[in-house]
PDB file of all heavy atoms in Angstrom:
ATOM      1  N   TYR A   9      38.348   3.831 -35.496  1.00  0.00           N
ATOM      2  CA  TYR A   9      39.106   4.269 -34.326  1.00  0.00           C
ATOM      3  C   TYR A   9      38.995   3.244 -33.194  1.00  0.00           C
ATOM      4  O   TYR A   9      39.963   2.988 -32.485  1.00  0.00           O
ATOM      5  CB  TYR A   9      38.631   5.649 -33.867  1.00  0.00           C
ATOM      6  CG  TYR A   9      39.591   6.309 -32.914  1.00  0.00           C
ATOM      7  CD1 TYR A   9      40.850   6.714 -33.340  1.00  0.00           C
ATOM      8  CD2 TYR A   9      39.246   6.526 -31.594  1.00  0.00           C
ATOM      9  CE1 TYR A   9      41.751   7.318 -32.465  1.00  0.00           C
ATOM     10  CE2 TYR A   9      40.125   7.129 -30.710  1.00  0.00           C
ATOM     11  CZ  TYR A   9      41.371   7.521 -31.154  1.00  0.00           C
ATOM     12  OH  TYR A   9      42.259   8.106 -30.285  1.00  0.00           O
ATOM     13  N   LEU A  12      41.394   0.537 -33.972  1.00  0.00           N
ATOM     14  CA  LEU A  12      42.760   0.979 -33.674  1.00  0.00           C
ATOM     15  C   LEU A  12      43.032   0.952 -32.173  1.00  0.00           C
ATOM     16  O   LEU A  12      44.121   0.563 -31.748  1.00  0.00           O
ATOM     17  CB  LEU A  12      42.999   2.384 -34.236  1.00  0.00           C
ATOM     18  CG  LEU A  12      43.018   2.505 -35.757  1.00  0.00           C
ATOM     19  CD1 LEU A  12      43.168   3.956 -36.172  1.00  0.00           C
ATOM     20  CD2 LEU A  12      44.113   1.653 -36.363  1.00  0.00           C
ATOM     21  N   LEU A  13      42.044   1.335 -31.369  1.00  0.00           N
ATOM     22  CA  LEU A  13      42.202   1.262 -29.915  1.00  0.00           C
ATOM     23  C   LEU A  13      42.369  -0.183 -29.444  1.00  0.00           C
ATOM     24  O   LEU A  13      43.174  -0.467 -28.546  1.00  0.00           O
ATOM     25  CB  LEU A  13      41.005   1.908 -29.211  1.00  0.00           C
ATOM     26  CG  LEU A  13      40.933   3.426 -29.254  1.00  0.00           C
ATOM     27  CD1 LEU A  13      39.574   3.907 -28.765  1.00  0.00           C
ATOM     28  CD2 LEU A  13      42.050   4.051 -28.447  1.00  0.00           C
ATOM     29  N   TYR A  16      45.828  -1.281 -30.338  1.00  0.00           N
ATOM     30  CA  TYR A  16      46.733  -0.640 -29.380  1.00  0.00           C
ATOM     31  C   TYR A  16      46.762  -1.417 -28.065  1.00  0.00           C
ATOM     32  O   TYR A  16      47.822  -1.643 -27.488  1.00  0.00           O
ATOM     33  CB  TYR A  16      46.285   0.802 -29.164  1.00  0.00           C
ATOM     34  CG  TYR A  16      47.114   1.571 -28.175  1.00  0.00           C
ATOM     35  CD1 TYR A  16      48.356   2.087 -28.530  1.00  0.00           C
ATOM     36  CD2 TYR A  16      46.656   1.787 -26.882  1.00  0.00           C
ATOM     37  CE1 TYR A  16      49.114   2.795 -27.614  1.00  0.00           C
ATOM     38  CE2 TYR A  16      47.411   2.491 -25.962  1.00  0.00           C
ATOM     39  CZ  TYR A  16      48.637   2.998 -26.336  1.00  0.00           C
ATOM     40  OH  TYR A  16      49.392   3.690 -25.434  1.00  0.00           O
ATOM     41  N   PHE A  33      53.023   4.576 -34.222  1.00  0.00           N
ATOM     42  CA  PHE A  33      51.919   5.217 -34.944  1.00  0.00           C
ATOM     43  C   PHE A  33      50.641   5.205 -34.104  1.00  0.00           C
ATOM     44  O   PHE A  33      49.963   6.226 -33.957  1.00  0.00           O
ATOM     45  CB  PHE A  33      51.689   4.494 -36.284  1.00  0.00           C
ATOM     46  CG  PHE A  33      50.464   4.944 -37.008  1.00  0.00           C
ATOM     47  CD1 PHE A  33      50.424   6.173 -37.645  1.00  0.00           C
ATOM     48  CD2 PHE A  33      49.338   4.135 -37.056  1.00  0.00           C
ATOM     49  CE1 PHE A  33      49.280   6.597 -38.307  1.00  0.00           C
ATOM     50  CE2 PHE A  33      48.199   4.547 -37.714  1.00  0.00           C
ATOM     51  CZ  PHE A  33      48.174   5.777 -38.354  1.00  0.00           C
ATOM     52  N   LEU A  34      50.326   4.048 -33.522  1.00  0.00           N
ATOM     53  CA  LEU A  34      49.114   3.934 -32.716  1.00  0.00           C
ATOM     54  C   LEU A  34      49.201   4.769 -31.436  1.00  0.00           C
ATOM     55  O   LEU A  34      48.195   5.306 -30.979  1.00  0.00           O
ATOM     56  CB  LEU A  34      48.830   2.470 -32.382  1.00  0.00           C
ATOM     57  CG  LEU A  34      48.357   1.619 -33.556  1.00  0.00           C
ATOM     58  CD1 LEU A  34      48.210   0.168 -33.138  1.00  0.00           C
ATOM     59  CD2 LEU A  34      47.052   2.148 -34.118  1.00  0.00           C
ATOM     60  N   ARG A  35      50.402   4.880 -30.867  1.00  0.00           N
ATOM     61  CA  ARG A  35      50.568   5.724 -29.681  1.00  0.00           C
ATOM     62  C   ARG A  35      50.232   7.171 -29.992  1.00  0.00           C
ATOM     63  O   ARG A  35      49.568   7.845 -29.214  1.00  0.00           O
ATOM     64  CB  ARG A  35      52.007   5.641 -29.167  1.00  0.00           C
ATOM     65  CG  ARG A  35      52.141   4.718 -28.009  1.00  0.00           C
ATOM     66  CD  ARG A  35      53.404   4.872 -27.194  1.00  0.00           C
ATOM     67  NE  ARG A  35      54.480   5.606 -27.792  1.00  0.00           N
ATOM     68  CZ  ARG A  35      55.711   5.131 -27.972  1.00  0.00           C
ATOM     69  NH1 ARG A  35      56.006   3.910 -27.625  1.00  0.00           N
ATOM     70  NH2 ARG A  35      56.645   5.878 -28.494  1.00  0.00           N
ATOM     71  N   LYS A  36      50.672   7.654 -31.148  1.00  0.00           N
ATOM     72  CA  LYS A  36      50.384   9.039 -31.539  1.00  0.00           C
ATOM     73  C   LYS A  36      48.893   9.270 -31.732  1.00  0.00           C
ATOM     74  O   LYS A  36      48.384  10.349 -31.457  1.00  0.00           O
ATOM     75  CB  LYS A  36      51.119   9.394 -32.830  1.00  0.00           C
ATOM     76  CG  LYS A  36      52.596   9.558 -32.655  1.00  0.00           C
ATOM     77  CD  LYS A  36      53.241   9.908 -33.977  1.00  0.00           C
ATOM     78  CE  LYS A  36      54.741   9.941 -33.858  1.00  0.00           C
ATOM     79  NZ  LYS A  36      55.396  10.211 -35.145  1.00  0.00           N
ATOM     80  N   ILE A  37      48.190   8.257 -32.202  1.00  0.00           N
ATOM     81  CA  ILE A  37      46.763   8.392 -32.493  1.00  0.00           C
ATOM     82  C   ILE A  37      45.901   8.128 -31.258  1.00  0.00           C
ATOM     83  O   ILE A  37      44.921   8.828 -31.021  1.00  0.00           O
ATOM     84  CB  ILE A  37      46.364   7.427 -33.627  1.00  0.00           C
ATOM     85  CG1 ILE A  37      47.012   7.875 -34.924  1.00  0.00           C
ATOM     86  CG2 ILE A  37      44.856   7.363 -33.789  1.00  0.00           C
ATOM     87  CD1 ILE A  37      46.797   6.923 -36.059  1.00  0.00           C
ATOM     88  N   CYS A  38      46.264   7.143 -30.470  1.00  0.00           N
ATOM     89  CA  CYS A  38      45.398   6.677 -29.380  1.00  0.00           C
ATOM     90  C   CYS A  38      45.637   7.371 -28.042  1.00  0.00           C
ATOM     91  O   CYS A  38      44.685   7.611 -27.292  1.00  0.00           O
ATOM     92  CB  CYS A  38      45.564   5.170 -29.204  1.00  0.00           C
ATOM     93  SG  CYS A  38      45.063   4.214 -30.644  1.00  0.00           S
ATOM     94  N   GLU A  39      46.873   7.673 -27.712  1.00  0.00           N
ATOM     95  CA  GLU A  39      47.165   8.198 -26.377  1.00  0.00           C
ATOM     96  C   GLU A  39      46.524   9.545 -26.070  1.00  0.00           C
ATOM     97  O   GLU A  39      46.107   9.760 -24.930  1.00  0.00           O
ATOM     98  CB  GLU A  39      48.669   8.218 -26.132  1.00  0.00           C
ATOM     99  CG  GLU A  39      49.197   6.832 -25.843  1.00  0.00           C
ATOM    100  CD  GLU A  39      50.647   6.812 -25.422  1.00  0.00           C
ATOM    101  OE1 GLU A  39      51.262   7.891 -25.302  1.00  0.00           O
ATOM    102  OE2 GLU A  39      51.163   5.713 -25.224  1.00  0.00           O
ATOM    103  N   PRO A  40      46.387  10.476 -27.030  1.00  0.00           N
ATOM    104  CA  PRO A  40      45.693  11.730 -26.673  1.00  0.00           C
ATOM    105  C   PRO A  40      44.255  11.498 -26.205  1.00  0.00           C
ATOM    106  O   PRO A  40      43.812  12.118 -25.232  1.00  0.00           O
ATOM    107  CB  PRO A  40      45.728  12.540 -27.969  1.00  0.00           C
ATOM    108  CG  PRO A  40      46.932  12.029 -28.688  1.00  0.00           C
ATOM    109  CD  PRO A  40      46.986  10.559 -28.359  1.00  0.00           C
ATOM    110  N   TYR A  41      43.545  10.600 -26.850  1.00  0.00           N
ATOM    111  CA  TYR A  41      42.170  10.302 -26.430  1.00  0.00           C
ATOM    112  C   TYR A  41      42.166   9.527 -25.118  1.00  0.00           C
ATOM    113  O   TYR A  41      41.393   9.835 -24.205  1.00  0.00           O
ATOM    114  CB  TYR A  41      41.440   9.519 -27.527  1.00  0.00           C
ATOM    115  CG  TYR A  41      40.047   9.083 -27.136  1.00  0.00           C
ATOM    116  CD1 TYR A  41      39.066  10.014 -26.837  1.00  0.00           C
ATOM    117  CD2 TYR A  41      39.720   7.736 -27.056  1.00  0.00           C
ATOM    118  CE1 TYR A  41      37.789   9.618 -26.470  1.00  0.00           C
ATOM    119  CE2 TYR A  41      38.438   7.330 -26.700  1.00  0.00           C
ATOM    120  CZ  TYR A  41      37.484   8.274 -26.405  1.00  0.00           C
ATOM    121  OH  TYR A  41      36.228   7.877 -26.034  1.00  0.00           O
ATOM    122  N   LEU A  42      43.041   8.550 -24.984  1.00  0.00           N
ATOM    123  CA  LEU A  42      43.073   7.735 -23.767  1.00  0.00           C
ATOM    124  C   LEU A  42      43.516   8.540 -22.554  1.00  0.00           C
ATOM    125  O   LEU A  42      43.133   8.223 -21.428  1.00  0.00           O
ATOM    126  CB  LEU A  42      43.998   6.531 -23.969  1.00  0.00           C
ATOM    127  CG  LEU A  42      43.505   5.491 -24.972  1.00  0.00           C
ATOM    128  CD1 LEU A  42      44.576   4.429 -25.198  1.00  0.00           C
ATOM    129  CD2 LEU A  42      42.205   4.869 -24.509  1.00  0.00           C
ATOM    130  N   SER A  43      44.286   9.597 -22.774  1.00  0.00           N
ATOM    131  CA  SER A  43      44.741  10.409 -21.642  1.00  0.00           C
ATOM    132  C   SER A  43      43.567  11.114 -20.953  1.00  0.00           C
ATOM    133  O   SER A  43      43.687  11.509 -19.792  1.00  0.00           O
ATOM    134  CB  SER A  43      45.781  11.430 -22.095  1.00  0.00           C
ATOM    135  OG  SER A  43      45.182  12.404 -22.937  1.00  0.00           O
TER     136      SER A  43
END
Side-chain angles (χ1 to χ4, degrees):
Y9 195 67
L12 292 176
L13 287 169
Y16 179 78
F33 172 74
L34 289 176
R35 260 197 344 236
K36 288 180 186 177
I37 292 174
C38 297
E39 284 187 2
Y41 176 62
L42 292 174
S43 68

